[in-house]
């Protein structure tokens, strides 16, 4: 899959998910608004009917005709508190009965509290709790005695001793009114939005699946690029020594070569060097495969760090064909003893020194320092090479990764060296970091816990 195709798929999928989320948001918002309106309309109409029934009952009880319209006399103080102006006497027991009857009629299945305003005390009194559908919890005395509560039957008058205060707020606009409060109004919405919760869960699963699919696509793309780069590097690394060996074999196959001992020795040396080079490259690949399969066992032993580094420097110098270079070692006076696998630790030093040589355009200058603290010992290898851009520093320890240089490949390799270094230091329980070496170059620091 091409890079542009992957980008197109990612952009298209992202737009699709955002579109679904946007649609979901508007659906939920519209559902909430619609339920808000339905609840308000149903509650307002139910309370209007209650006020009309109270007035009708009072007129019938007194034998008078006092038509009274309650239109626009219901005020919503808050989202769950309504005030109803009756402008007439309000019997609390009858009010309780009418509220339950009308709320049941309009299918308002919520707990509610109500109270009546006492103008003499300027407080809400007769505060009670009720629930529709004939719930026996918090019902009035009259309800418990007669659930059917005939409105035509005269109810007993209430006395001051039956009054009790309630904490519902008052309304200065009216004089004869009652208030109704819905403490659990949010449940009214949750019951109606419940199907959307299921849809949200499905959408969440779809988004997770989309994220996982996107992760797999990007991972496969990365693996594909790594495989491509590795094959290119492998071909490049093997092509040169194979060509040198092939050329040397043709020269050595000439019968007249035996008469030219110096030339014979020279081409034999080329075959040996190029064969060793191929062997080293194969060994690197095999080492990384062994580490990946967790088969490598660290044979740690006590190692005096200063003398060990000095020996590694000597061995490295002997393996170099470059003559113009400089390696400085700043060793501390007291000996530093660590536990290390000497074979793999020496390979770590060789890899870091080799990188310092390869990624240097001028005369290689390397400084090795050992600094110790109570908790750990730090081994630093600083060079004055081309440096590593900050954005690639976390990636350079990845397998097959090489800092991009366009189509120019001045430095040979598979991108396995620093991956090997990272894994070996981790197997030892150490850590490695990279930083700038001002004004130019890089510093690799291995931190070894004491």
């Amino acid at each position: 899959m091409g890079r542009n195709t992957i980008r197109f798929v990612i952009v298209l999928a992202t737009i699709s998910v955002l579109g679904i989320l946007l649609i979901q948001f508007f659906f939920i918002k519209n559902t909430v608004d619609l339920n808000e309106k339905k609840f308000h309309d149903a509650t307002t109409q139910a309370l209007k009917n209650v006020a009309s029934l109270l007035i009708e009952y009072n007129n019938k009880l007194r034998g008078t005709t006092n038509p009274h319209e309650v239109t626009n006399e219901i005020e919503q103080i808050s989202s769950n508190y309504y005030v109803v102006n009756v402008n007439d006497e309000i019997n609390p027991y009858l009010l309780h009965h009418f509220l339950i009857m009308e709320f049941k009629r309009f299918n308002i299945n919520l707990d509610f509290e109500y109270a009546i305003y006492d103008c003499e005390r300027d407080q809400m009194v007769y505060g009670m709790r009720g629930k529709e559908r004939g719930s026996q919890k918090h019902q009035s005395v009259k309800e418990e005695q007669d659930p059917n509560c005939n409105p035509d039957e005269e109810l007993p008058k209430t006395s001051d001793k039956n009054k009790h205060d309630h904490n519902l707020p008052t309304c200065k606009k009216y004089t004869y009114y009652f208030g109704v409060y819905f403490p659990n109004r949010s449940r009214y919405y949750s019951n109606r939005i419940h199907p959307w919760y299921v849809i949200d869960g499905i959408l969440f699963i779809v988004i997770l699946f989309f994220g996982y699919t996107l992760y797999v696509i990007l991972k496969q793309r990365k693996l594909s690029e790594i495989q491509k780069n590795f094959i290119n590097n492998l071909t490049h690394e093997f092509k040169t020594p194979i060509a040198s060996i092939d050329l040397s074999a043709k020269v050595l196959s000439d019968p007249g070569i035996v008469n030219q001992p110096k030339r014979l020795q020279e081409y034999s040396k080329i075959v040996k060097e190029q064969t060793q080079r191929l062997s080293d490259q194969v060994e690197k690949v095999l080492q990384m495969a062994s580490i990946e399969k967790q088969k490598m066992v660290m044979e740690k032993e006590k190692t005096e760090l200063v003398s060990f580094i000095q020996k590694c420097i000597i061995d490295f110098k002997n393996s170099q064909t470059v003559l113009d270079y400089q390696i400085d070692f700043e060793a501390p006076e007291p000996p530093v003893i660590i536990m290390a696998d000497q074979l793999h630790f020496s390979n770590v030093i060789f890899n870091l020194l080799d990188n310092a040589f390869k990624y240097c355009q001028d005369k290689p200058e390397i400084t090795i320092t050992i600094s110790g603290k109570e908790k750990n010992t730090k081994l630093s290898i600083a060079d004055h090479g081309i440096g590593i851009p900050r954005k690639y520093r976390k990636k350079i320890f990845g397998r097959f990764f090489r800092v991009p240089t366009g189509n120019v490949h001045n430095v040979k390799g598979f991108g396995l060296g620093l991956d090997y270094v990272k894994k070996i230091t981790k197997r030892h329980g150490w850590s490695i970091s990279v930083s700038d070496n001002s004004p130019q170059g890089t510093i690799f620091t291995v931190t070894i816990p004491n």
Side-chain angles (χ1 to χ4, degrees):
M1 185 179 292
R3 179 173 298 181
N4 292 332
T5 303
I6 293 177
R7 289 179 178 175
F8 175 76
V9 170
I10 292 175
V11 171
L12 184 63
T14 302
I15 293 175
S16 301
V17 171
L18 291 176
I20 293 173
L21 291 175
L22 190 62
I23 293 172
Q24 180 77 353
F25 170 77
F26 281 113
F27 264 114
I28 293 178
K29 184 177 183 301
N30 289 337
T31 302
V32 171
D33 293 341
L34 179 61
N35 286 329
E36 171 77 22
K37 186 177 184 303
K38 288 174 62 178
F39 178 82
H40 178 74
D41 292 345
T43 303
T44 301
Q45 188 59 49
L47 294 176
K48 283 182 179 180
N49 292 346
V50 170
S52 297
L53 289 171
L54 288 172
I55 296 171
E56 181 181 349
Y57 176 81
N58 289 337
N59 289 336
K60 184 176 181 181
L61 187 64
R62 291 190 297 261
T64 59
T65 302
N66 182 23
H68 182 69
E69 294 292 337
V70 294
T71 306
N72 298 326
E73 294 190 357
I74 297 178
E75 187 167 347
Q76 186 178 11
I77 304 300
S78 64
S79 62
N80 55 357
Y81 181 52
Y82 291 82
V83 167
V84 183
N85 180 35
V86 179
N87 200 25
D88 202 346
E89 183 180 355
I90 302 173
N91 188 298
Y93 302 107
L94 193 62
L95 173 63
H96 183 89
H97 169 72
F98 285 150
L99 285 174
I100 290 180
M101 183 178 67
E102 290 300 320
F103 286 165
K104 181 178 179 180
R105 178 184 172 187
F106 285 90
N107 199 30
I108 302 175
N109 305 319
L110 292 176
D111 292 335
F112 63 91
E113 299 177 13
Y114 66 94
I116 302 171
Y117 177 69
D118 185 350
C119 58
E120 295 180 359
R121 301 170 59 186
D122 191 24
Q123 290 181 345
M124 301 297 289
V125 297
Y126 300 111
M128 298 184 186
R129 294 177 61 88
K131 187 174 181 180
E132 69 296 331
R133 300 193 183 280
S135 173
Q136 296 300 316
K137 182 179 180 181
H138 302 302
Q139 289 186 343
S140 66
V141 177
K142 184 63 181 178
E143 278 280 314
E144 292 176 357
Q145 293 176 349
D146 185 5
N148 295 323
C149 191
N150 183 5
D152 295 332
E153 179 182 351
E154 184 175 355
L155 294 174
K157 300 295 182 179
T158 59
S159 60
D160 290 341
K161 66 179 182 179
N162 292 326
K163 295 181 180 181
H164 55 279
D165 298 340
H166 201 272
N167 59 358
L168 292 181
T170 59
C171 179
K172 302 300 182 181
K173 187 176 179 180
Y174 307 119
T175 303
Y176 297 96
Y177 65 90
F178 65 89
V180 179
Y181 172 70
F182 299 94
N184 300 320
R185 189 186 177 190
S186 59
R187 194 179 66 180
Y188 179 86
Y189 300 110
S190 63
N191 291 337
R192 286 157 177 75
I193 303 178
H194 181 73
W196 289 104
Y197 293 157
V198 178
I199 297 176
D200 286 341
I202 296 174
L203 179 61
F204 181 72
I205 294 174
V206 171
I207 292 175
L208 288 180
F209 178 75
F210 163 71
Y212 177 75
T213 304
L214 186 61
Y215 168 77
V216 171
I217 291 175
L218 295 177
K219 185 177 181 180
Q220 290 298 325
R221 176 193 169 194
K222 182 178 179 181
L223 291 176
S224 177
E225 291 181 351
I226 289 175
Q227 182 183 25
K228 179 181 177 181
N229 293 334
F230 174 72
I231 292 175
N232 290 337
N233 291 333
L234 185 68
T235 303
H236 179 75
E237 287 293 316
F238 284 177
K239 186 175 181 180
T240 301
I242 289 174
S244 299
I245 292 173
D246 181 63
L247 178 62
S248 299
K250 291 179 181 179
V251 174
L252 293 175
S253 64
D254 185 2
I257 193 70
V258 296
N259 299 323
Q260 303 177 28
K262 187 175 181 180
R263 191 181 180 197
L264 176 62
Q265 183 180 5
E266 180 181 349
Y267 280 97
S268 298
K269 182 179 179 181
I270 292 175
V271 171
K272 182 179 179 180
E273 289 177 349
Q274 297 304 321
T275 302
Q276 183 62 42
R277 180 179 174 183
L278 282 174
S279 177
D280 292 340
Q281 299 294 358
V282 172
E283 183 63 25
K284 284 184 179 181
V285 177
L286 294 177
Q287 281 181 347
M288 297 310 301
S290 177
I291 293 177
E292 190 68 22
K293 293 179 180 180
Q294 303 291 326
K295 292 183 178 180
M296 182 178 293
V297 179
M298 296 287 105
E299 297 180 358
K300 297 181 182 180
E301 55 184 297
K302 287 186 177 181
T303 303
E304 203 287 299
L305 187 57
V306 174
S307 59
F308 183 82
I309 297 297
Q310 290 173 339
K311 182 177 182 301
C312 289
I313 293 174
I314 294 173
D315 293 341
F316 181 79
K317 288 181 177 180
N318 293 333
S319 67
Q320 295 301 309
T321 58
V322 179
L323 299 179
D324 190 12
Y325 64 87
Q326 179 179 345
I327 299 179
D328 297 325
F329 179 35
E330 300 177 3
E333 293 184 359
V336 179
I337 306 299
I338 64 172
M339 296 297 294
D341 184 306
Q342 296 189 1
L343 174 62
H344 291 292
F345 187 28
S346 64
N347 288 338
V348 169
I349 303 300
F350 267 67
N351 273 284
L352 295 177
L353 292 176
D354 186 51
N355 278 351
F357 267 63
K358 289 192 299 185
Y359 294 97
C360 183
Q361 297 176 340
D362 301 319
K363 173 185 175 181
E365 296 182 4
I366 304 172
T367 302
I368 303 176
T369 59
I370 297 176
S371 58
K373 293 184 178 181
E374 294 182 0
K375 294 184 178 181
N376 52 56
T377 299
K378 292 188 176 182
L379 171 64
S380 299
I381 299 179
D383 62 61
H384 296 280
I386 60 176
I388 300 173
R390 186 177 298 274
K391 62 180 179 180
Y392 296 123
R393 289 179 189 170
K394 292 183 178 180
K395 300 180 180 180
I396 59 174
F397 296 105
R399 175 173 293 190
F400 306 126
F401 180 82
R402 301 184 70 191
V403 177
T405 57
N407 295 324
V408 181
H409 299 282
N410 295 327
V411 180
K412 301 176 182 179
F414 297 146
L416 296 174
L418 290 179
D419 182 45
Y420 173 82
V421 169
K422 178 72 173 181
K423 286 182 168 61
I424 293 299
T425 53
K426 186 176 180 180
R427 288 290 184 88
H428 278 83
W430 307 342
S431 63
I432 185 169
S433 60
V434 59
S435 58
D436 282 329
N437 184 24
S438 182
Q440 183 179 1
T442 305
I443 303 175
F444 285 91
T445 302
V446 178
T447 302
I448 305 171
N450 292 336

mmCIF file of all heavy atoms in Angstrom, residues 204-230:
data_model
loop_
_atom_site.group_PDB
_atom_site.id
_atom_site.type_symbol
_atom_site.label_atom_id
_atom_site.label_comp_id
_atom_site.label_asym_id
_atom_site.label_seq_id
_atom_site.Cartn_x
_atom_site.Cartn_y
_atom_site.Cartn_z
ATOM 1 N N PHE A 204 -18.481 3.341 20.465
ATOM 2 C CA PHE A 204 -17.186 3.254 21.141
ATOM 3 C C PHE A 204 -16.395 2.032 20.662
ATOM 4 O O PHE A 204 -15.185 2.110 20.426
ATOM 5 C CB PHE A 204 -17.403 3.190 22.654
ATOM 6 C CG PHE A 204 -16.135 3.119 23.447
ATOM 7 C CD1 PHE A 204 -15.298 4.215 23.569
ATOM 8 C CD2 PHE A 204 -15.769 1.937 24.072
ATOM 9 C CE1 PHE A 204 -14.125 4.138 24.298
ATOM 10 C CE2 PHE A 204 -14.601 1.843 24.805
ATOM 11 C CZ PHE A 204 -13.782 2.957 24.919
ATOM 12 N N ILE A 205 -17.098 0.910 20.498
ATOM 13 C CA ILE A 205 -16.437 -0.296 19.993
ATOM 14 C C ILE A 205 -15.935 -0.074 18.571
ATOM 15 O O ILE A 205 -14.834 -0.500 18.205
ATOM 16 C CB ILE A 205 -17.404 -1.494 20.057
ATOM 17 C CG1 ILE A 205 -17.733 -1.825 21.528
ATOM 18 C CG2 ILE A 205 -16.811 -2.711 19.374
ATOM 19 C CD1 ILE A 205 -18.779 -2.897 21.690
ATOM 20 N N VAL A 206 -16.761 0.609 17.755
ATOM 21 C CA VAL A 206 -16.350 0.895 16.364
ATOM 22 C C VAL A 206 -15.103 1.771 16.337
ATOM 23 O O VAL A 206 -14.180 1.544 15.545
ATOM 24 C CB VAL A 206 -17.513 1.572 15.603
ATOM 25 C CG1 VAL A 206 -17.039 2.079 14.240
ATOM 26 C CG2 VAL A 206 -18.661 0.588 15.429
ATOM 27 N N ILE A 207 -15.063 2.780 17.236
ATOM 28 C CA ILE A 207 -13.892 3.661 17.283
ATOM 29 C C ILE A 207 -12.658 2.895 17.721
ATOM 30 O O ILE A 207 -11.564 3.078 17.172
ATOM 31 C CB ILE A 207 -14.171 4.843 18.231
ATOM 32 C CG1 ILE A 207 -15.246 5.754 17.635
ATOM 33 C CG2 ILE A 207 -12.902 5.650 18.471
ATOM 34 C CD1 ILE A 207 -15.664 6.883 18.545
ATOM 35 N N LEU A 208 -12.817 2.009 18.708
ATOM 36 C CA LEU A 208 -11.681 1.172 19.128
ATOM 37 C C LEU A 208 -11.201 0.296 17.980
ATOM 38 O O LEU A 208 -9.984 0.145 17.759
ATOM 39 C CB LEU A 208 -12.088 0.305 20.322
ATOM 40 C CG LEU A 208 -12.260 1.011 21.671
ATOM 41 C CD1 LEU A 208 -12.668 0.007 22.737
ATOM 42 C CD2 LEU A 208 -10.975 1.713 22.087
ATOM 43 N N PHE A 209 -12.142 -0.282 17.254
ATOM 44 C CA PHE A 209 -11.775 -1.119 16.112
ATOM 45 C C PHE A 209 -11.068 -0.282 15.046
ATOM 46 O O PHE A 209 -10.078 -0.727 14.448
ATOM 47 C CB PHE A 209 -13.026 -1.773 15.525
ATOM 48 C CG PHE A 209 -12.753 -2.625 14.316
ATOM 49 C CD1 PHE A 209 -12.163 -3.871 14.437
ATOM 50 C CD2 PHE A 209 -13.069 -2.163 13.046
ATOM 51 C CE1 PHE A 209 -11.897 -4.651 13.324
ATOM 52 C CE2 PHE A 209 -12.808 -2.926 11.926
ATOM 53 C CZ PHE A 209 -12.227 -4.184 12.059
ATOM 54 N N PHE A 210 -11.578 0.932 14.826
ATOM 55 C CA PHE A 210 -10.931 1.820 13.860
ATOM 56 C C PHE A 210 -9.508 2.163 14.291
ATOM 57 O O PHE A 210 -8.573 2.139 13.491
ATOM 58 C CB PHE A 210 -11.756 3.097 13.718
ATOM 59 C CG PHE A 210 -11.002 4.241 13.089
ATOM 60 C CD1 PHE A 210 -10.674 4.241 11.758
ATOM 61 C CD2 PHE A 210 -10.606 5.323 13.870
ATOM 62 C CE1 PHE A 210 -9.972 5.297 11.190
ATOM 63 C CE2 PHE A 210 -9.908 6.376 13.321
ATOM 64 C CZ PHE A 210 -9.596 6.360 11.974
ATOM 65 N N GLY A 211 -9.351 2.478 15.590
ATOM 66 C CA GLY A 211 -8.016 2.796 16.093
ATOM 67 C C GLY A 211 -7.064 1.623 15.957
ATOM 68 O O GLY A 211 -5.902 1.791 15.571
ATOM 69 N N TYR A 212 -7.566 0.421 16.277
ATOM 70 C CA TYR A 212 -6.719 -0.775 16.159
ATOM 71 C C TYR A 212 -6.360 -1.026 14.694
ATOM 72 O O TYR A 212 -5.208 -1.376 14.374
ATOM 73 C CB TYR A 212 -7.444 -1.987 16.745
ATOM 74 C CG TYR A 212 -6.678 -3.278 16.596
ATOM 75 C CD1 TYR A 212 -5.568 -3.550 17.400
ATOM 76 C CD2 TYR A 212 -7.051 -4.216 15.637
ATOM 77 C CE1 TYR A 212 -4.859 -4.723 17.251
ATOM 78 C CE2 TYR A 212 -6.343 -5.397 15.485
ATOM 79 C CZ TYR A 212 -5.254 -5.649 16.295
ATOM 80 O OH TYR A 212 -4.549 -6.815 16.146
ATOM 81 N N THR A 213 -7.351 -0.864 13.802
ATOM 82 C CA THR A 213 -7.079 -1.054 12.370
ATOM 83 C C THR A 213 -6.035 -0.056 11.875
ATOM 84 O O THR A 213 -5.119 -0.412 11.111
ATOM 85 C CB THR A 213 -8.382 -0.892 11.560
ATOM 86 O OG1 THR A 213 -9.355 -1.807 12.051
ATOM 87 C CG2 THR A 213 -8.134 -1.155 10.082
ATOM 88 N N LEU A 214 -6.179 1.191 12.309
ATOM 89 C CA LEU A 214 -5.215 2.216 11.924
ATOM 90 C C LEU A 214 -3.826 1.880 12.451
ATOM 91 O O LEU A 214 -2.817 2.048 11.747
ATOM 92 C CB LEU A 214 -5.668 3.566 12.463
ATOM 93 C CG LEU A 214 -4.866 4.801 12.035
ATOM 94 C CD1 LEU A 214 -4.918 4.965 10.531
ATOM 95 C CD2 LEU A 214 -5.403 6.043 12.714
ATOM 96 N N TYR A 215 -3.771 1.386 13.688
ATOM 97 C CA TYR A 215 -2.488 0.983 14.274
ATOM 98 C C TYR A 215 -1.850 -0.147 13.473
ATOM 99 O O TYR A 215 -0.641 -0.129 13.201
ATOM 100 C CB TYR A 215 -2.714 0.551 15.721
ATOM 101 C CG TYR A 215 -1.536 -0.158 16.345
ATOM 102 C CD1 TYR A 215 -0.419 0.549 16.781
ATOM 103 C CD2 TYR A 215 -1.545 -1.541 16.493
ATOM 104 C CE1 TYR A 215 0.665 -0.105 17.348
ATOM 105 C CE2 TYR A 215 -0.469 -2.203 17.055
ATOM 106 C CZ TYR A 215 0.629 -1.484 17.483
ATOM 107 O OH TYR A 215 1.698 -2.150 18.036
ATOM 108 N N VAL A 216 -2.665 -1.135 13.078
ATOM 109 C CA VAL A 216 -2.132 -2.264 12.297
ATOM 110 C C VAL A 216 -1.625 -1.786 10.942
ATOM 111 O O VAL A 216 -0.555 -2.208 10.474
ATOM 112 C CB VAL A 216 -3.218 -3.346 12.121
ATOM 113 C CG1 VAL A 216 -2.756 -4.417 11.130
ATOM 114 C CG2 VAL A 216 -3.540 -3.988 13.466
ATOM 115 N N ILE A 217 -2.384 -0.876 10.303
ATOM 116 C CA ILE A 217 -1.958 -0.367 8.990
ATOM 117 C C ILE A 217 -0.627 0.361 9.100
ATOM 118 O O ILE A 217 0.292 0.136 8.300
ATOM 119 C CB ILE A 217 -3.044 0.570 8.418
ATOM 120 C CG1 ILE A 217 -4.299 -0.229 8.051
ATOM 121 C CG2 ILE A 217 -2.511 1.306 7.185
ATOM 122 C CD1 ILE A 217 -5.447 0.635 7.585
ATOM 123 N N LEU A 218 -0.507 1.233 10.103
ATOM 124 C CA LEU A 218 0.740 1.983 10.271
ATOM 125 C C LEU A 218 1.891 1.056 10.635
ATOM 126 O O LEU A 218 3.029 1.248 10.172
ATOM 127 C CB LEU A 218 0.555 3.051 11.347
ATOM 128 C CG LEU A 218 -0.444 4.165 11.017
ATOM 129 C CD1 LEU A 218 -0.586 5.112 12.198
ATOM 130 C CD2 LEU A 218 0.008 4.930 9.776
ATOM 131 N N LYS A 219 1.607 0.054 11.462
ATOM 132 C CA LYS A 219 2.657 -0.888 11.844
ATOM 133 C C LYS A 219 3.119 -1.699 10.641
ATOM 134 O O LYS A 219 4.323 -1.911 10.449
ATOM 135 C CB LYS A 219 2.137 -1.818 12.942
ATOM 136 C CG LYS A 219 3.201 -2.762 13.486
ATOM 137 C CD LYS A 219 2.670 -3.612 14.620
ATOM 138 C CE LYS A 219 3.765 -4.531 15.159
ATOM 139 N NZ LYS A 219 3.240 -5.378 16.273
ATOM 140 N N GLN A 220 2.161 -2.154 9.822
ATOM 141 C CA GLN A 220 2.526 -2.913 8.629
ATOM 142 C C GLN A 220 3.320 -2.055 7.650
ATOM 143 O O GLN A 220 4.260 -2.526 7.015
ATOM 144 C CB GLN A 220 1.252 -3.438 7.951
ATOM 145 C CG GLN A 220 0.552 -4.535 8.721
ATOM 146 C CD GLN A 220 1.423 -5.766 8.885
ATOM 147 O OE1 GLN A 220 2.205 -6.124 8.014
ATOM 148 N NE2 GLN A 220 1.303 -6.425 10.036
ATOM 149 N N ARG A 221 2.918 -0.786 7.561
ATOM 150 C CA ARG A 221 3.666 0.110 6.676
ATOM 151 C C ARG A 221 5.101 0.284 7.172
ATOM 152 O O ARG A 221 6.055 0.261 6.393
ATOM 153 C CB ARG A 221 2.953 1.455 6.615
ATOM 154 C CG ARG A 221 3.697 2.496 5.798
ATOM 155 C CD ARG A 221 3.124 3.868 6.040
ATOM 156 N NE ARG A 221 3.988 4.888 5.477
ATOM 157 C CZ ARG A 221 3.906 6.167 5.749
ATOM 158 N NH1 ARG A 221 2.999 6.594 6.596
ATOM 159 N NH2 ARG A 221 4.715 7.035 5.210
ATOM 160 N N LYS A 222 5.233 0.462 8.492
ATOM 161 C CA LYS A 222 6.563 0.632 9.067
ATOM 162 C C LYS A 222 7.411 -0.619 8.854
ATOM 163 O O LYS A 222 8.588 -0.540 8.482
ATOM 164 C CB LYS A 222 6.451 0.948 10.557
ATOM 165 C CG LYS A 222 7.788 1.184 11.238
ATOM 166 C CD LYS A 222 7.590 1.530 12.703
ATOM 167 C CE LYS A 222 8.945 1.740 13.391
ATOM 168 N NZ LYS A 222 8.771 2.067 14.834
ATOM 169 N N LEU A 223 6.793 -1.802 9.087
ATOM 170 C CA LEU A 223 7.526 -3.055 8.882
ATOM 171 C C LEU A 223 7.908 -3.228 7.424
ATOM 172 O O LEU A 223 8.990 -3.743 7.117
ATOM 173 C CB LEU A 223 6.669 -4.232 9.352
ATOM 174 C CG LEU A 223 6.425 -4.335 10.864
ATOM 175 C CD1 LEU A 223 5.481 -5.478 11.177
ATOM 176 C CD2 LEU A 223 7.746 -4.522 11.606
ATOM 177 N N SER A 224 7.015 -2.795 6.535
ATOM 178 C CA SER A 224 7.319 -2.902 5.109
ATOM 179 C C SER A 224 8.510 -2.018 4.735
ATOM 180 O O SER A 224 9.401 -2.435 3.980
ATOM 181 C CB SER A 224 6.084 -2.507 4.293
ATOM 182 O OG SER A 224 6.372 -2.527 2.913
ATOM 183 N N GLU A 225 8.533 -0.794 5.283
ATOM 184 C CA GLU A 225 9.660 0.102 5.004
ATOM 185 C C GLU A 225 10.957 -0.436 5.614
ATOM 186 O O GLU A 225 12.023 -0.355 4.994
ATOM 187 C CB GLU A 225 9.359 1.496 5.554
ATOM 188 C CG GLU A 225 8.247 2.222 4.804
ATOM 189 C CD GLU A 225 8.002 3.606 5.359
ATOM 190 O OE1 GLU A 225 8.578 3.935 6.424
ATOM 191 O OE2 GLU A 225 7.246 4.371 4.729
ATOM 192 N N ILE A 226 10.850 -0.987 6.836
ATOM 193 C CA ILE A 226 12.038 -1.562 7.476
ATOM 194 C C ILE A 226 12.580 -2.727 6.653
ATOM 195 O O ILE A 226 13.792 -2.855 6.439
ATOM 196 C CB ILE A 226 11.697 -2.013 8.910
ATOM 197 C CG1 ILE A 226 11.486 -0.786 9.810
ATOM 198 C CG2 ILE A 226 12.799 -2.895 9.482
ATOM 199 C CD1 ILE A 226 11.032 -1.142 11.205
ATOM 200 N N GLN A 227 11.660 -3.588 6.208
ATOM 201 C CA GLN A 227 12.079 -4.735 5.402
ATOM 202 C C GLN A 227 12.742 -4.276 4.098
ATOM 203 O O GLN A 227 13.772 -4.818 3.686
ATOM 204 C CB GLN A 227 10.866 -5.607 5.101
ATOM 205 C CG GLN A 227 11.199 -6.867 4.294
ATOM 206 C CD GLN A 227 9.960 -7.661 3.955
ATOM 207 O OE1 GLN A 227 8.859 -7.110 3.895
ATOM 208 N NE2 GLN A 227 10.114 -8.943 3.723
ATOM 209 N N LYS A 228 12.139 -3.258 3.490
ATOM 210 C CA LYS A 228 12.701 -2.745 2.243
ATOM 211 C C LYS A 228 14.103 -2.169 2.466
ATOM 212 O O LYS A 228 15.037 -2.456 1.693
ATOM 213 C CB LYS A 228 11.771 -1.681 1.679
ATOM 214 C CG LYS A 228 12.261 -1.053 0.384
ATOM 215 C CD LYS A 228 11.288 0.016 -0.087
ATOM 216 C CE LYS A 228 11.809 0.705 -1.344
ATOM 217 N NZ LYS A 228 10.876 1.771 -1.804
ATOM 218 N N ASN A 229 14.253 -1.349 3.525
ATOM 219 C CA ASN A 229 15.563 -0.761 3.807
ATOM 220 C C ASN A 229 16.595 -1.830 4.164
ATOM 221 O O ASN A 229 17.764 -1.739 3.775
ATOM 222 C CB ASN A 229 15.445 0.246 4.950
ATOM 223 C CG ASN A 229 14.630 1.457 4.567
ATOM 224 O OD1 ASN A 229 14.551 1.811 3.387
ATOM 225 N ND2 ASN A 229 14.008 2.100 5.549
ATOM 226 N N PHE A 230 16.158 -2.845 4.930
ATOM 227 C CA PHE A 230 17.088 -3.903 5.318
ATOM 228 C C PHE A 230 17.575 -4.680 4.096
ATOM 229 O O PHE A 230 18.764 -4.979 3.961
ATOM 230 C CB PHE A 230 16.409 -4.850 6.309
ATOM 231 C CG PHE A 230 17.253 -6.044 6.655
ATOM 232 C CD1 PHE A 230 18.375 -5.906 7.451
ATOM 233 C CD2 PHE A 230 16.923 -7.306 6.179
ATOM 234 C CE1 PHE A 230 19.167 -6.999 7.766
ATOM 235 C CE2 PHE A 230 17.705 -8.405 6.485
ATOM 236 C CZ PHE A 230 18.826 -8.251 7.284
#
